[in-house]
Amino acid sequence: MPSRDTERIAVVGGGPGGLYAAALLKRLRPGREITVWERNAPEDTFGFGVVLSDETLGGIEHADPVVYAALSDAFVRWDTIDVVHRGTTQTSGGHGFAALERRTLLRILHERCASLGVRLRFRTEAPPTAELAAGHDLVVAADGVHSATREAHARHFRPTVTHHRNRYIWLAADFAFDSFRFEIAETRHGVMQLHAYPFARPSSGNPGASTVIVEMRDEVWRSAGLDTCGTAESAERCAEVFAGALGGRPLRSNKSSWLTFATVTNQHWSHGRTVLLGDAAHTAHFSIGSGTKLAVEDALALAACLEEQPGLSAALAAYEAERRPVVLSTQRAAAASLRWFEELPQYAHQPPRRFAFNLLTRSRRVTHDNLRLRDPGFTGAVEEEFGCPPGTPPMFTPLRLRGLELRNRIVVSPMDMYSADADGVPGDFHLVHLGARALGGAGLVMTEMVCVSPEGRITPGCTGLWTDEQADAWTRITRFVHDTAPGTAIGVQLGHSGRKGSTRRMWEGIDEPLEDGNWPVVAASPLPYAHGVSQIPQALDRDGMDAVRDRFTEAARRAARCGFDLLELHCAHGYLLSGFLSPLTNRRTDAYGGSVENRLRFPLEVFDAVRAAWPRERPMTVRISATDWSHGGTSDEDALAVARAFAAHGADAIDVSTGQVVPEERPEYGRSYQTPYADRIRNVLGVPVIAVGAISSWDDVNSLLLAGRADLCALARSHLHDPHWTLHAAAAQGYAGPGAPWPLPYRAGSRPPPTGRTDAPKPRLTLD
Ligand SMILES: Cc1cc2nc3c(=O)[nH]c(=O)nc-3n(C[C@H](O)[C@H](O)[C@H](O)COP(=O)(O)OP(=O)(O)OC[C@H]3O[C@@H](n4cnc5c(N)ncnc54)[C@H](O)[C@@H]3O)c2cc1C
Ligand SMILES: Cc1cc2nc3c(=O)[nH]c(=O)nc-3n(C[C@H](O)[C@H](O)[C@H](O)COP(=O)(O)O)c2cc1C
């Protein structure tokens, strides 16, 4: 890169991001003229300790050994996390943290900048952005979470700043905890939580120091009167609440105040010659590692891109392209962690080891398998508390639902194959498809949505259970499963398409009306699925509701005769019963619309009728969409009310899906993205749940189960990819027990085929 492009550089903000960027840029090209503007004095700083991971330190070591050496001297290192909950302490080892005082970090960076010839202008407000841009080749806006530069160019950067609801305060204790400590206090106002870690080690005459963050929900903070306390009084009150953790020692503040965390994102990170860096560009909740780490890593990437790219705009584009996915992934993990801490009171009842495991795996970055490697003793104890038989991974621990014993926790999620004949009869395809999955080891194999009437089909390729011919065809399939894959259960999902009926097969245009041969559709309200595209459904009247309910009952009786082991009522994804539940699709003004109790009335009538027709000892589940991912749709409270009502009427588990109710939905896709909804229902209501949605690995399944976020895990697309998903998961974990027996004819394949090997002699001797 021609150095002339970036000879004069202005850095707004002397935090870790700005200072480290300045030092690197100057070190790489000593001829550059670099000025850092910092409104504070060098010795001023807020906050106390910062944590840096080994990964970040590796980057610093490589880029600037001088800074690395100074940091290394100052670090406190530790590798255990203590989780204190209801009087017990669970310790998990092998984590590897390094922390130092923020003031020390800034001092090291000040000294490095000064020695390299960076001009540091302390106690000086930076000139306006336009002025800086006019006089410099590059403006690095490292001016923190409240970045004025970002706001000045908001039209270009397009920032979003989201404030969250927990209150927290950064404090310090004048002694060094010997590990990371997380503790909850269940006060009469609600749950308060403490996050603490050492940042200065004890030495002769110096007791060391620790960062202490106290956090709680807004309503707890108000109820405890902390909203009216000043800083000193807040520190005193927090020290009283956590006197046990602190050994009665006080907490001190440093420009501390009660904050709500703000997540910052920007659609663009640069504009002309101005670039955002660190907190100005993005924030990630403090609970998954400090913003300092991200800011320092941004600085490394920016300096490298300016070296590597042929011009300024290419360098800024490369910097953003490199950092954005890393930051997004961190922000996703941080969002999961933040939400976990917001929802923490729902986990307070968990047994201590599960609680600790749940805390450690909250962001989904740390999993059962990671923890097992880090500290097998800790995970062994969690597994024992869960009830895993010796040598049995959590996913192969059996589960009983009424009279049905499932031999493992994997469910082949319902998947419509759109491959029935014109009469809705399942054929050889269904036998082979479901039979293969049953041979693949899952504990429960679900059929696709089986429709209760011809007009209740989604497409002409959907199967049904409204004729005896269909029932005979299903019986052939259940027999095959029971005879050939003994121990595998097969469940039927019954549903009615409602306003999403009379559409094309998935691969011909999902949710689009048929080209010809459409049949009239019904729904809770006369609202089409896609305006101007879908049919306008007829709103069901009482007679219509009776007729639909009776269709469900007849189908349930047939399903019982077919030999299905479990029946699931499909109340999700915008089909008929789901359409009654969602406020977006149910606009009725009679007793079946309005409040969630009213919206539940018809689905519950159907549930009760089906439950009565379904053999008492066989379990029933209900699939719901716990959110519509759309403004004004099903709320968290609605989802809880719906799950509570079905459970009270006898549902044995709730299968917690989301969305597909309205076309304008905006789902937040990601790994296990729907599981927080299952988790909430399980932990708030104590109702068993099936979690589903991008559960991508057996490690995730084990983690969800052990953390108490799910009872069963349903996987759909993974089973299209690999019908033997469960058997392969067993082989990968070295498990060969009763939770996943290989079918006898397949036993010769129960180990992965050998891969290539080399016959060359092993290098043993070195001859110099
Ligand atoms: C109260 C508080 C306490 C914190 N404590 C910790 C902690 O203990 N550990 C931890 O890891 N993280 C802590 N954080 C988070 C952490 O500080 C940030 O994530 C990290 O410092 C980001 O680095 P940065 O360089 O992007 O921004 P910052 O560190 O925020 O630095 C931005 C700097 O820009 C300066 N500035 C802004 N505008 C101007 C201007 N117009 N002119 C001149 N100067 C300007 C500010 O004074 C500031 O020094 C804390 C945050 C807050 C708000
Ligand atoms: C081809 C296909 C068909 C589906 N059909 C149904 C269905 O009939 N009933 C249902 O409740 N969900 C259906 N789903 C949704 C899945 O059961 C599951 O909830 C979703 O795919 C998310 O899980 P996954 O990420 O493991 O694929 C279907 C999904 C796919 C991919």
Side-chain angles (χ1 to χ4, degrees):
M1 144 135 217
S3 59
R4 219 166 292 121
D5 261 20
T6 53
E7 264 180 3
R8 300 196 70 221
I9 299 178
V11 178
V12 185
L19 290 170
Y20 193 50
L24 284 176
L25 291 165
K26 183 76 178 166
R27 180 167 175 265
L28 287 164
R29 300 211 174 246
R32 279 171 172 154
E33 199 182 290
I34 303 181
T35 310
V36 178
W37 277 268
E38 170 54 54
R39 59 161 71 107
N40 290 327
E43 59 283 2
D44 286 353
T45 185
F46 55 79
F48 299 99
V50 295
V51 181
L52 294 176
S53 69
D54 289 344
E55 223 177 19
T56 310
L57 287 171
I60 295 177
E61 182 177 15
H62 189 70
D64 192 343
V66 175
V67 168
Y68 177 76
L71 291 177
S72 298
D73 284 348
F75 273 130
V76 184
R77 290 178 183 275
W78 76 97
D79 71 356
T80 50
I81 300 180
D82 285 342
V83 180
V84 185
H85 170 237
R86 297 200 170 161
T88 69
T89 302
Q90 308 299 322
T91 301
S92 158
H95 294 281
F97 294 105
L100 82 167
E101 190 172 8
R102 182 176 153 102
R103 203 189 302 265
T104 308
L105 170 67
L106 292 179
R107 183 180 46 72
I108 291 169
L109 293 173
H110 292 159
E111 285 168 6
R112 185 66 178 138
C113 282
S115 74
L116 290 164
V118 171
R119 199 183 308 154
L120 296 172
R121 303 195 58 184
F122 291 110
R123 300 185 193 84
T124 314
E125 193 69 27
T129 323
E131 194 180 306
L132 284 176
H136 293 84
D137 303 318
L138 171 67
V139 179
V140 179
D143 47 353
V145 65
H146 303 297
S147 171
T149 316
R150 182 184 68 221
E151 295 315 312
H153 294 296
R155 215 156 46 87
H156 300 283
F157 293 126
R158 315 268 305 267
T160 309
V161 181
T162 312
H163 286 272
H164 303 280
R165 64 175 190 220
N166 271 11
R167 297 278 171 170
Y168 70 99
I169 187 166
W170 296 84
L171 298 163
D174 285 324
F175 70 96
F177 281 97
D178 52 13
S179 61
F180 184 99
R181 185 180 179 103
F182 180 78
E183 179 162 344
I184 64 170
E186 292 173 80
T187 73
R188 68 192 160 88
H189 306 289
V191 177
M192 300 183 185
Q193 55 244 33
L194 164 137
H195 316 240
Y197 56 87
F199 65 81
R201 49 177 112 77
S203 56
S204 54
N206 176 351
S210 302
T211 292
V212 174
I213 305 159
V214 176
E215 186 193 15
M216 66 200 72
R217 286 167 78 126
D218 184 71
E219 64 269 20
V220 178
W221 179 69
R222 287 180 199 284
S223 163
L226 290 165
D227 55 332
T228 57
C229 289
T231 308
E233 199 184 345
S234 292
E236 261 171 47
R237 296 276 303 278
C238 290
E240 275 166 31
V241 173
F242 291 104
L246 299 166
R249 284 165 283 205
L251 287 170
R252 68 181 160 85
S253 61
N254 173 4
K255 301 189 185 153
S256 314
S257 60
W258 289 102
L259 304 168
T260 55
F261 191 80
T263 300
V264 174
T265 58
N266 282 277
Q267 276 187 28
H268 303 284
W269 290 11
S270 66
H271 166 57
R273 59 187 59 178
T274 302
V275 64
L276 299 177
L277 184 147
D279 274 11
H282 47 70
T283 57
H285 192 241
F286 59 81
S287 59
I288 70 153
S290 62
T292 311
K293 168 182 141 54
L294 287 179
V296 164
E297 289 174 354
D298 280 358
L300 276 164
L302 178 64
C305 290
L306 286 166
E307 279 305 290
E308 291 158 5
Q309 299 296 325
L312 181 62
S313 57
L316 298 186
Y319 157 71
E320 185 171 335
E322 179 182 332
R323 292 298 294 156
R324 188 182 279 285
V326 179
V327 166
L328 272 179
S329 157
T330 307
Q331 286 187 314
R332 266 199 301 274
S337 179
L338 178 148
R339 212 172 299 136
W340 194 92
F341 284 110
E342 285 183 349
E343 305 289 341
L344 187 145
Q346 77 191 23
Y347 304 118
H349 70 279
Q350 289 191 324
R353 290 174 192 154
R354 176 172 303 173
F355 179 82
F357 183 88
N358 191 356
L359 170 83
L360 295 171
T361 55
R362 67 190 181 278
S363 75
R364 301 178 207 141
R365 283 197 160 178
V366 175
T367 62
H368 172 247
D369 213 33
N370 304 147
L371 285 175
R372 210 156 50 96
L373 288 176
R374 291 180 198 192
D375 188 345
F378 171 74
T379 40
V382 180
E383 286 169 10
E384 192 188 317
E385 187 184 75
F386 180 78
C388 298
T392 304
M395 63 181 281
F396 298 114
T397 306
L399 179 77
R400 176 166 285 278
L401 292 176
R402 270 182 211 239
L404 179 67
E405 168 106 349
L406 296 175
R407 68 172 167 216
N408 65 50
R409 307 299 185 101
I410 301 301
V411 179
V412 175
S413 200
M415 278 182 285
D416 203 337
M417 293 287 105
Y418 310 100
S419 300
D421 72 9
D423 297 322
V425 178
D428 289 350
F429 174 85
H430 299 86
L431 176 71
V432 173
H433 165 68
L434 293 167
R437 268 114 206 118
L439 290 171
L444 172 65
V445 177
M446 291 299 300
T447 66
E448 62 193 45
M449 173 173 123
V450 175
C451 308
V452 297
S453 60
E455 61 286 353
R457 285 172 302 163
I458 307 167
T459 75
C462 292
T463 56
L465 251 179
W466 66 86
T467 68
D468 291 340
E469 192 193 354
Q470 292 163 339
D472 290 345
W474 283 117
T475 305
R476 177 173 169 239
I477 293 171
T478 60
R479 268 202 202 123
F480 176 87
V481 171
H482 291 144
D483 293 349
T484 317
T488 303
I490 176 158
V492 62
Q493 186 188 56
L494 290 186
H496 185 299
S497 54
R499 69 175 189 163
K500 289 174 83 179
S502 189
T503 56
R504 302 182 204 179
R505 289 174 181 82
M506 186 171 59
W507 50 87
E508 292 166 349
I510 197 158
D511 298 325
E512 288 177 34
L514 296 170
E515 281 182 37
D516 48 61
N518 282 290
W519 60 86
V521 297
V522 293
S525 300
L527 302 167
Y529 178 68
H531 283 278
V533 177
S534 310
Q535 271 190 64
I536 299 179
Q538 196 188 351
L540 276 180
D541 60 14
R542 189 57 256 185
D543 287 347
M545 284 190 245
D546 288 346
V548 168
R549 182 200 57 213
D550 293 347
R551 289 293 207 164
F552 270 97
T553 320
E554 286 159 23
R557 286 207 186 92
R558 283 203 173 89
R561 288 200 292 277
C562 291
F564 284 108
D565 302 297
L566 176 148
L567 188 153
E568 176 162 285
L569 190 63
H570 198 348
C571 296
H573 302 169
Y575 297 115
L576 183 68
L577 299 178
S578 163
F580 270 83
L581 292 174
S582 168
L584 294 176
T585 47
N586 181 342
R587 297 285 169 77
R588 299 176 75 102
T589 50
D590 61 5
Y592 300 91
S595 67
V596 67
E597 291 73 24
N598 282 1
R599 300 195 312 266
L600 262 160
R601 202 181 296 270
F602 180 57
L604 281 175
E605 274 180 24
V606 174
F607 180 90
D608 289 343
V610 170
R611 185 59 270 182
W614 182 242
R616 181 181 291 272
E617 71 288 356
R618 294 192 216 172
M620 248 188 95
T621 59
V622 178
R623 181 168 260 207
I624 64 167
S625 285
T627 172
D628 300 331
W629 301 113
S630 185
H631 184 68
T634 298
S635 64
D636 289 349
E637 290 68 33
D638 286 347
L640 287 173
V642 168
R644 189 187 290 112
F646 281 120
H649 282 241
D652 299 288
I654 306 296
D655 182 355
V656 189
S657 187
T658 67
Q660 299 177 46
V661 174
V662 289
E664 61 274 16
E665 65 179 3
R666 303 287 291 271
E668 287 168 25
Y669 292 120
R671 206 169 115 229
S672 305
Y673 72 107
Q674 296 178 155
T675 52
Y677 295 91
D679 181 349
R680 186 177 297 115
I681 289 171
R682 187 176 194 278
N683 284 294
V684 173
L685 303 179
V687 171
V689 294
I690 305 172
V692 64
I695 299 175
S696 46
S697 67
W698 49 261
D699 190 19
D700 283 347
V701 171
N702 285 332
S703 305
L704 291 169
L705 295 170
L706 274 190
R709 296 186 195 134
D711 296 275
L712 290 163
C713 290
L715 286 83
R717 287 163 296 177
S718 301
H719 279 113
L720 296 183
H721 182 70
D722 177 5
H724 292 167
W725 190 91
T726 305
L727 293 180
H728 291 160
Q733 294 171 83
Y735 173 75
W742 277 73
L744 294 177
Y746 288 178
R747 223 165 240 188
S750 63
R751 282 188 197 175
T755 49
R757 83 188 160 96
T758 168
D759 291 331
K762 272 191 195 163
R764 290 229 170 99
L765 298 172
T766 310
L767 302 175
D768 289 321

